[in-house]
Amino acid sequence: MDELTSEDLEIPPAKYEYLDHTADVQLHAWGDTLDEAFEQCAMAMFGYMTELDRVQMTQVHHIEADGDDMESLLFHFLDELLFMFSAEPYIVAKKVKITEFDREKFQIRATAYGEEFVIGKHTQGAEVKAITYSAMQINEPPQVDHPEVFVIVDI
């Protein structure tokens, strides 16, 4: 297991919101960079499943995601993190940091900091069953002021 540094334990401010969508929820996340927008989208997903204030960063997990384009890369990135939460030992992340973002090969390497989800310690929000491509958007300047992503998740 990797050692945690003080930089690892710094939590960036939340840059995401939840938008109403029939039977599902749409995650809208943004950042100063596309990396940060992807990271914030991951945090929005975890934040919808539990209160992140109750999550401690005691474990470090590494994930990798590959895609054929930016949308499939975002899909697989979130899907890998959802799998991390859905498979034993049910890891919930308080922070996700992208360590490698290859826009030409559509590859992401990231580190998730969190702990095992424990009923009683962690609240149960909505269960995210799947990531979808429905209405997925990745917007970057000059179309918008800052990079932003929209992802609908099946709950």
Side-chain angles (χ1 to χ4, degrees):
M1 192 178 306
D2 295 349
E3 292 284 323
L4 292 170
T5 67
S6 59
E7 184 179 319
D8 292 335
L9 298 175
E10 291 176 22
I11 301 298
K15 296 179 182 178
Y16 58 81
E17 64 185 345
Y18 305 105
L19 305 175
D20 288 335
H21 190 272
T22 55
D24 298 319
V25 67
Q26 184 176 39
L27 309 176
H28 173 216
W30 58 92
D32 295 331
T33 64
L34 191 58
D35 297 42
E36 185 182 17
F38 273 45
E39 292 165 352
Q40 287 291 323
C41 193
M43 296 322 306
M45 180 180 72
F46 284 115
Y48 204 72
M49 295 188 285
T50 190
E51 291 177 47
L52 295 180
D53 290 347
R54 296 183 180 204
V55 178
Q56 294 181 306
M57 294 188 293
T58 60
Q59 296 183 25
V60 178
H61 293 270
H62 302 282
I63 63 118
E64 297 181 2
D66 300 296
D68 299 319
D69 54 25
M70 290 304 284
E71 287 80 12
S72 66
L73 181 59
L74 177 57
F75 176 94
H76 290 291
F77 170 66
L78 294 174
D79 196 48
E80 285 294 322
L81 291 165
L82 182 57
F83 179 76
M84 182 182 78
F85 180 81
S86 302
E88 284 193 55
Y90 313 112
I91 301 301
V92 60
K94 185 179 184 104
K95 177 181 175 181
V96 175
K97 183 69 180 161
I98 293 175
T99 54
E100 249 181 81
F101 195 138
D102 189 325
R103 292 167 166 244
E104 292 176 11
K105 294 180 181 174
F106 304 111
Q107 297 176 329
I108 285 179
R109 307 293 172 256
T111 305
Y113 304 89
E115 66 180 337
E116 183 176 341
F117 182 86
V118 177
I119 293 174
K121 176 180 181 179
H122 304 111
T123 58
Q124 284 185 285
E127 177 188 358
V128 173
K129 297 175 187 166
I131 312 303
T132 75
Y133 283 103
S134 175
M136 182 182 284
Q137 294 178 47
I138 299 173
N139 301 320
E140 292 186 83
Q143 306 132 297
V144 290
D145 293 336
H146 52 264
E148 64 179 359
V149 299
F150 293 86
V151 177
I152 293 176
V153 294
D154 181 19
I155 55 172

